[in-house]
Amino acid sequence: MGIETVRQFFAEHAPDINIEELETSTATVQLAAEAHGVAPGQIAKTLAFRMGEKPLLIVASGNARIDNRKIRDTFGGKAKMLDAETVMELTSHPVGGVCPFGLATDLPVYCDESLHAYDEVLPAAGSPNSAVRLSPKRLAELVNAKWVDVCKLPEPESVN
């Protein structure tokens, strides 16, 4: 479960990728960015939704926010975030460690265009203190993700 299924996934599909395990929690975007010494946007957060009866995962830049209108336009309906228990059942990963690797069930994975802003992103690796480093392109290829545009980025702060 969790990090063990992710270890198995990388052993089979990408043995060159190392899982970074830290002593500190990386369960939130801010904690992960600080712990790994990267910008919050480089943290690739994995969000679990249900569209009607179908669960799906969306991997997005850590500083992006889901845009409900874009979700409706892309998937043809309203998305409902899944609760922690359902996420654990479907992915085998606890909240804070959810990632698209080593899933307990075969879920469709979508990568948001917001990830393209970075050469390297860090998704979690099945536990609240682990991550991997890889390019957005490789991330999408490893999990057979489709690219979508369902997020909005924060407005740049104006300097007055």
Side-chain angles (χ1 to χ4, degrees):
M1 298 240 313
I3 196 167
E4 290 309 316
T5 62
V6 175
R7 275 196 223 309
Q8 291 169 355
F9 176 88
F10 284 116
E12 291 174 29
H13 302 284
D16 60 304
I17 294 177
N18 295 316
I19 296 175
E20 296 180 17
E21 290 183 84
L22 304 177
E23 295 296 317
T24 183
S25 173
T26 55
T28 68
V29 167
Q30 197 58 46
L31 287 172
E34 289 170 12
H36 289 286
V38 298
Q42 282 182 268
I43 302 303
K45 61 186 175 185
T46 302
L47 305 169
F49 292 96
R50 185 175 306 283
M51 294 294 306
E53 293 302 309
K54 296 185 178 186
L56 59 90
L57 298 178
I58 297 173
V59 185
S61 174
N63 61 350
R65 298 281 173 251
I66 292 293
D67 182 315
N68 290 324
R69 183 186 54 74
K70 287 182 175 182
I71 286 261
R72 268 194 312 276
D73 292 349
T74 301
F75 295 106
K78 186 174 164 47
K80 181 177 188 278
M81 277 201 98
L82 297 177
D83 62 70
E85 187 177 316
T86 303
V87 170
M88 184 71 173
E89 284 173 21
L90 292 173
T91 67
S92 81
H93 310 318
V95 170
V98 178
C99 63
F101 316 111
L103 301 172
T105 53
D106 188 21
L107 297 172
V109 178
Y110 299 88
C111 284
D112 185 72
E113 294 288 336
S114 59
L115 295 170
H116 283 308
Y118 303 95
D119 293 333
E120 181 181 73
V121 294
L122 286 81
S127 71
N129 65 330
S130 65
V132 294
R133 293 175 185 258
L134 69 172
S135 70
K137 181 178 187 271
R138 184 129 189 242
L139 166 63
E141 288 170 355
L142 282 170
V143 297
N144 297 314
K146 290 184 175 70
W147 286 98
V148 293
D149 179 10
V150 295
C151 289
K152 56 186 169 192
L153 292 170
E155 295 294 321
E157 294 182 28
S158 59
V159 179
N160 290 354

